[in-house]
């Protein structure tokens, strides 16, 4: 059994696969007979909260097949009017800090409040090491079996832009399926934190208490992005250190200029393992949402994010079209060897390539 197959997430994914579901046999037969349901059928099923169809639609979103993408786009457009009604929370932190454990505890807390929780991930490295950050050490065993939770590992892809776009689209599908709490886990590699920050309402940074000097080792820019820092593993011998760390982070955060919405990032302590402080984190996020909705900042931020993703998607598409063009691929190789032989400059090479791409479009 591969590492991936052992993960509880794969089991969860399994629940969503038609072959292994407990769906009624009539539904199974229907799914088998007509391999690809219509857009209308997809949308109806998603809106009724059908996990099998939600999973299949996400698979279409993640597919690189053009036919699948076209269908995915039609499903997305039809689902859009039913989306948006959720709180989107991003969670980041170094590996081992307890993200998965925290998401499990937090997710269970949310479902205990009758909320429906979808957990997605942005991990561009998952396609390289074949693992998922959601499926590593902690498998969220309780959350996977919760009927009000839907967990989906990171889409695979070569570029962060691609992975992030697929996750954003999956958010829309999950919301249309009635998930009112969307949690997006990311590991702090490269630009993935920035990507997740630009698709969530609230961005949470998990930290561990160290031996003093708490700001050491914290990535530049992450403080500006975080709406809250939660010092995890505040249990046992670590309880005191966590409290000290809280004071230090609070002091440090006050040195930063206030955010656009006047929100001063909060620092809390929690123990994901012992289920301590989870309710406090929930209340804080809730206060934030109420406050930013009152000030219309909530919608403003989402609009800004939509605009950002519009431009981002255009950039991505332009690049993909360019680099995937076989003519360009060939010419690029020629230009590179010309460049290596000192026969041309990067700028004239680039111009020739771009011109070639333009010419091709005209014919
Ligand atoms: N003592 C303690 N251990 C924790 C806590 N949260 C997570 N852990 C442990 O830390 C390890 C890494 O946790 P995991 O959730 O997989 O971290 P991730 O890599 O950030 O997702 C696991 O062995 C967890 O049991 C906590 O609050 N207290
Ligand atoms: Mg994890």
């Amino acid at each position: 059994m591969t590492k991936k197959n052992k993960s509880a997430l794969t089991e969860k994914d399994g629940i969503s696969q038609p072959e292994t579901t407990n769906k009624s046999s009539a539904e199974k037969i229907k799914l088998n007979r007509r391999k690809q349901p219509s857009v209308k059928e997809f949308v109806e099923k998603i809106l009724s909260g059908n996990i099998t169809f939600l999973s299949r639609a996400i698979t279409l979103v993640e597919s690189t097949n053009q036919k699948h993408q076209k269908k995915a786009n039609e499903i997305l457009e039809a689902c859009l009017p039913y989306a948006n009604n959720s709180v989107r929370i991003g969670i980041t932190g170094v590996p081992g800090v307890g993200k998965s454990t925290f998401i499990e505890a937090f997710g269970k807390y949310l479902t205990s409040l009758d909320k429906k929780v979808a957990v997605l991930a942005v991990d561009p490295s998952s396609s390289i090491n074949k693992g998922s950050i959601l499926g590593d050490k902690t498998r969220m065993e309780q959350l996977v079996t919760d009927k009000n939770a839907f967990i989906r590992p990171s889409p695979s892809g070569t570029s962060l832009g691609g992975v992030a776009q697929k996750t954003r689209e999956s958010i829309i599908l999950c919301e249309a399926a009635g998930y009112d709490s969307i949690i997006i886990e990311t590991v702090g590699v490269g630009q993935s934190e920035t990507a997740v920050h630009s698709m969530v309402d609230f961005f949470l940074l998990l930290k561990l208490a160290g031996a003093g000097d708490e700001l050491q080792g914290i990535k530049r820019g992450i403080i500006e992005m975080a709406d809250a820092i939660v010092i995890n593993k505040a249990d046992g011998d670590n309880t005191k250190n966590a409290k000290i760390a809280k004071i230090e982070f609070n002091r440090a955060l006050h040195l930063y200029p206030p955010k656009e919405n006047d929100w001063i990032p909060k620092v809390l302590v929690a123990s994901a393992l012992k289920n301590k402080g989870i309710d406090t984190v929930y209340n804080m996020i809730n206060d934030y949402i109420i406050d930013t909705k009152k000030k219309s900042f909530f919608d403003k931020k989402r609009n800004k994010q939509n605009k950002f993703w519009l431009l981002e998607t255009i950039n991505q598409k332009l690049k993909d079209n360019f680099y995937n063009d076989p003519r360009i691929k060939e010419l690029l190789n020629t230009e590179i060897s010309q460049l290596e032989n000192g026969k041309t400059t990067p700028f004239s090479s680039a111009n020739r390539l771009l011109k070639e791409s333009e010419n091709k479009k005209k014919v």
Side-chain angles (χ1 to χ4, degrees):
M1 204 187 234
T2 63
K3 185 180 168 219
K4 202 174 178 186
N5 286 341
K6 253 191 260 169
S7 142
L9 270 166
T10 327
E11 283 161 29
K12 173 74 183 182
D13 214 12
I15 292 170
S16 57
Q17 301 301 317
E19 307 81 59
T20 51
T21 49
N22 293 325
K23 298 273 162 233
S24 73
S25 47
E27 190 163 30
K28 258 195 227 167
I29 291 163
K30 206 166 153 196
L31 276 172
N32 286 339
R33 201 173 46 215
R34 283 178 48 201
K35 276 204 120 167
Q36 195 60 264
S38 67
V39 170
K40 189 166 166 276
E41 200 174 343
F42 260 114
V43 176
E44 273 169 16
K45 288 281 166 73
I46 291 169
L47 293 181
S48 74
N50 183 309
I51 286 190
T52 309
F53 277 79
L54 172 62
S55 292
R56 292 186 79 185
I58 293 179
T59 304
L60 288 179
V61 160
E62 292 174 351
S63 168
T64 46
N65 177 311
Q66 291 212 335
K67 264 193 198 149
H68 291 170
Q69 283 184 356
K70 186 170 170 280
K71 191 152 200 172
N73 283 335
E74 288 171 24
I75 298 169
L76 279 164
E77 296 231 320
C79 281
L80 206 52
Y82 307 94
N84 258 317
N85 211 358
S86 73
V87 174
R88 304 169 184 163
I89 302 164
I91 295 186
T92 188
V94 295
V97 70
K99 292 179 295 298
S100 305
T101 313
F102 181 85
I103 291 170
E104 162 133 290
F106 190 65
K108 286 300 286 180
Y109 184 77
L110 291 172
T111 56
S112 80
L113 300 175
D114 268 347
K115 297 197 177 291
K116 282 186 78 182
V117 185
V119 181
L120 308 172
V122 171
D123 178 11
S125 65
S126 72
S127 50
I128 299 160
N129 60 28
K130 294 275 183 230
S132 159
I133 52 166
L134 286 169
D136 50 16
K137 285 188 205 119
T138 303
R139 300 172 179 182
M140 304 194 207
E141 270 148 7
Q142 291 182 41
L143 203 58
V144 272
T145 55
D146 193 319
K147 68 171 176 26
N148 284 322
F150 173 79
I151 304 178
R152 180 90 182 186
S154 179
S156 56
T158 45
S159 73
L160 170 64
V163 171
Q165 190 201 329
K166 289 168 195 169
T167 304
R168 255 189 69 90
E169 293 178 339
S170 301
I171 294 177
I172 293 171
L173 296 176
C174 290
E175 289 173 350
Y179 291 88
D180 51 25
S181 310
I182 313 285
I183 300 177
I184 302 171
E185 176 178 353
T186 186
V187 72
V189 284
Q191 292 296 304
S192 62
E193 275 161 342
T194 314
V196 171
H197 178 252
S198 54
M199 60 175 88
V200 297
D201 308 312
F202 195 94
F203 196 60
L204 196 76
L205 169 65
L206 288 190
K207 287 292 291 178
L208 293 177
D213 213 359
E214 299 303 347
L215 281 173
Q216 275 224 342
I218 209 164
K219 250 169 45 180
R220 250 181 78 96
I222 183 77
I223 295 278
E224 281 93 337
M225 282 194 270
D227 296 304
I229 295 175
V230 172
I231 300 152
N232 189 34
K233 306 199 186 181
D235 45 50
D237 292 346
N238 222 2
T239 316
K240 201 172 145 220
N241 276 344
K243 283 187 185 146
I244 298 170
K246 177 179 168 172
I247 296 168
E248 290 204 13
F249 273 121
N250 254 326
R251 199 181 291 143
L253 285 178
H254 276 89
L255 300 175
Y256 284 84
K259 298 202 169 216
E260 198 189 334
N261 53 358
D262 293 334
W263 173 263
I264 297 169
K266 303 284 180 288
V267 186
L268 298 174
V269 293
S271 167
L273 197 66
K274 307 269 184 236
N275 235 320
K276 282 196 300 192
I278 304 298
D279 51 347
T280 320
V281 175
Y282 171 77
N283 289 332
M284 168 193 59
I285 296 176
N286 210 23
D287 287 348
Y288 175 91
I289 301 298
I290 293 170
D291 187 59
T292 52
K293 277 193 172 163
K294 222 180 342 191
K295 293 178 184 156
S296 333
F297 181 81
F298 186 89
D299 288 333
K300 211 169 116 188
K301 186 169 168 181
R302 281 202 174 178
N303 284 336
K304 214 164 127 185
Q305 291 176 336
N306 275 336
K307 198 171 135 194
F308 169 81
W309 285 103
L310 165 74
L311 300 178
E312 193 64 22
T313 310
I314 293 173
N315 291 343
Q316 191 66 41
K317 279 257 144 60
L318 286 172
K319 268 202 240 170
D320 286 353
N321 289 346
F322 181 79
Y323 288 111
N324 291 335
D325 179 341
R327 279 281 306 134
I328 293 295
K329 277 185 189 165
E330 200 189 314
L331 193 60
L332 187 58
N333 280 334
T334 320
E335 291 290 347
I336 287 171
S337 48
Q338 295 276 70
L339 205 56
E340 281 166 355
N341 294 329
K343 298 236 167 73
T344 182
T345 68
F347 313 102
S348 41
S349 274
N351 279 334
R352 266 193 300 276
L353 283 157
L354 290 166
K355 216 173 210 137
E356 174 64 28
S357 165
E358 279 299 304
N359 286 342
K360 193 155 183 276
K361 257 181 250 155
K362 282 181 201 139
V363 282

